[in-house]
Amino acid sequence: MKASATYNKTTLFISACCGLLLFGIALLTLGSVSQGLQQNFKLDKLKAGTLFAILPAGLLTGSLFFGPVCDRYGYKILLVSACLLLATGFTGIAYSPSTEWLQFSIFIFGLAGGIINGATNAVVADISGEYKGANLSLLGVSFGIGALGLPFVLGLLKQYYTYPIILSGAALIAFGVALFYVLIRFPAPKITQGQSLKKSLELLKDAVLLLIAFYLFCQSSLEAIVNNWTTTFLIERKNLSEGNALYALSACIAGVTIMRFLTGTIFRKITAKSILLLSFGLFFCGIVALQVTGSFITALSGLLILGAGIAGGFPIMLGLVGNRYAALSGTAFSLVLVIAITGNILVNYLMGIVAARYGIQHFITLLYAELVVMVLLFIFIFKKIQ
């Protein structure tokens, strides 16, 4: 216990940012190299789709796994292991000799990503005092940098190197982050040898935690359909070119990143409730702009605003979880993130059915529906907290 008290908060925050930057890179890797994978393994669209389904399964497993392990054994072993697994996943995707090995590598990749995402957020919540939401927003900026940076780097390097070489470089970065984690101190485990798991299981009966979990169910599914269906909507309904639609989607990620930076700095002392109310307003304006857009500029502006509107959900809600359940923050984070990723998978699948049967224009309908449900959950959450 004495040694664990000597950890440096600034170093830990930087280390968490490195981990989430890595997660941002990892999450966009599969989509960025999918064309190369389809050519190398002669995959049709159905088999390629199966690969994309394996990644969320790995993320779900990692999110379920990390919390109880962090609370019982601490962060260091788990984060070091996850970075090494991520390096293995990068290498496996680059050099798999068969489709089966590729599928296994993608699952390992997702598993490691789920652990890193959950554990880095949990450790920042643990070391933050009054401003957990603001610090988690700043942490989220590093994810945005990773997510925005990977397509740019791939575009820059692919004329000189094949994608396996580039992924090998990413594996080396993951290995370097693992080494960084080996060299620093982390907070002590929360569950001592004599404690039972009864307290952990009692979290499942907590109404506030479950309300937050289902808010994040909506938040995660919202982010999924925006990321996966916006370009199709803009191309098919608004007659934008594929290139312009992709640029507009990048503006959404930029909006998320900018808003999280502002929340962690200029808006740092604004209450969580006020930030979320602002977020709902921005999100509504972004949907309206998408709905009425007739030009690339309007779509770009609308998605920038929409991105700013969805930026606050995860940092603010995870900040509330960190404040309320500090004694078992890892397990509490695991619970809400598992439900969030489940929402990501289920609602994204639902959107596919809706688009196929009723048309892609109902992408807007689903965005409005998500907003209404999130506002209702927001009201219930803050009523219960007060």
Side-chain angles (χ1 to χ4, degrees):
M1 291 294 292
K2 186 179 178 182
S4 66
T6 62
Y7 64 80
N8 184 286
K9 289 184 179 182
T10 302
T11 303
L12 276 178
F13 184 78
I14 292 170
S15 76
C17 288
C18 290
L20 209 61
L21 178 79
L22 199 57
F23 178 63
I25 292 170
L27 207 58
L28 267 75
T29 292
L30 198 56
S32 300
V33 302
S34 62
Q35 289 297 319
L37 292 174
Q38 288 177 47
Q39 291 170 8
N40 279 7
F41 291 93
K42 297 180 173 58
L43 302 174
D44 57 25
K45 296 296 182 187
L46 181 62
K47 289 181 180 177
T50 303
L51 293 181
F52 284 98
I54 293 170
L55 183 65
L59 286 169
L60 196 64
T61 306
S63 298
L64 180 66
F65 177 72
F66 89 88
V69 175
C70 285
D71 286 341
R72 178 66 186 86
Y73 299 104
Y75 292 101
K76 177 177 289 218
I77 293 173
L78 194 62
L79 279 170
V80 170
S81 301
C83 287
L84 293 176
L85 283 174
L86 198 61
T88 303
F90 275 121
T91 307
I93 292 170
Y95 299 108
S96 285
S98 66
T99 307
E100 291 74 22
W101 272 106
L102 179 63
Q103 291 171 339
F104 177 71
S105 297
I106 290 170
F107 179 79
I108 291 296
F109 194 70
L111 173 71
I115 292 170
I116 290 170
N117 178 44
T120 52
N121 276 283
V123 77
V124 168
D126 281 355
I127 64 173
S128 300
E130 185 181 353
Y131 303 113
K132 290 187 193 296
N135 287 342
L136 287 167
S137 292
L138 273 181
L139 175 67
V141 172
S142 58
F143 171 82
I145 293 170
L148 283 170
L150 180 69
F152 174 76
V153 170
L154 282 174
L156 193 66
L157 296 180
K158 69 180 181 181
Q159 54 186 321
Y160 304 108
Y161 304 102
T162 60
Y163 81 84
I165 298 294
I166 297 170
L167 292 182
S168 298
L172 284 174
I173 294 171
F175 185 80
V177 176
L179 184 60
F180 183 23
Y181 289 147
V182 168
L183 299 173
I184 63 176
R185 294 187 185 278
F186 286 88
K190 298 181 184 70
I191 300 177
T192 61
Q193 189 69 32
Q195 286 179 296
S196 71
L197 293 176
K198 185 178 178 182
K199 193 173 181 182
S200 301
L201 296 174
E202 285 175 357
L203 291 175
L204 294 170
K205 301 176 184 177
D206 190 292
V208 174
L209 188 65
L210 292 176
L211 284 169
I212 291 172
F214 282 102
Y215 184 98
L216 292 180
F217 177 101
C218 295
Q219 175 77 34
S220 182
S221 60
L222 173 66
E223 292 180 13
I225 60 174
V226 168
N227 288 334
N228 295 329
W229 294 97
T230 297
T231 52
T232 305
F233 172 77
L234 292 175
I235 292 166
E236 294 185 9
R237 297 292 299 183
K238 301 299 179 179
N239 299 316
L240 263 65
S241 68
E242 184 179 355
N244 282 344
L246 288 170
Y247 279 125
L249 182 59
S250 296
C252 182
I253 301 172
V256 171
T257 306
I258 292 166
M259 186 62 183
R260 285 182 176 171
F261 177 76
L262 292 174
T263 302
T265 53
I266 295 172
F267 303 152
R268 188 175 184 80
K269 295 186 179 180
I270 297 177
T271 64
K273 193 172 182 179
S274 298
I275 290 289
L276 287 175
L277 287 171
L278 173 62
S279 296
F280 294 143
L282 289 170
F283 181 48
F284 177 76
C285 292
I287 301 174
V288 171
L290 270 185
Q291 187 175 14
V292 304
T293 186
S295 68
F296 168 63
I297 296 299
T298 312
L300 192 77
S301 304
L303 279 162
L304 185 70
I305 294 167
L306 191 146
I310 64 178
F314 269 101
I316 297 298
M317 286 298 164
L318 290 178
L320 293 177
V321 171
N323 276 325
R324 191 175 175 87
Y325 310 98
L328 286 170
S329 59
T331 304
F333 272 44
S334 258
L335 175 63
V336 297
L337 287 174
V338 164
I339 293 175
I341 294 170
T342 302
N344 183 306
I345 297 167
L346 292 180
V347 178
N348 195 47
Y349 180 71
L350 173 66
M351 182 63 228
I353 295 173
V354 169
R357 292 187 181 177
Y358 306 106
I360 190 63
Q361 70 271 17
H362 288 291
F363 166 69
I364 295 294
T365 308
L366 195 53
L367 290 182
Y368 279 125
E370 292 261 34
L371 176 59
V372 170
V373 174
M374 288 168 73
V375 169
L376 291 173
L377 286 168
F378 160 82
I379 293 168
F380 290 137
I381 289 166
F382 280 90
K383 252 184 188 176
K384 286 277 188 184
I385 288 174
Q386 288 168 357

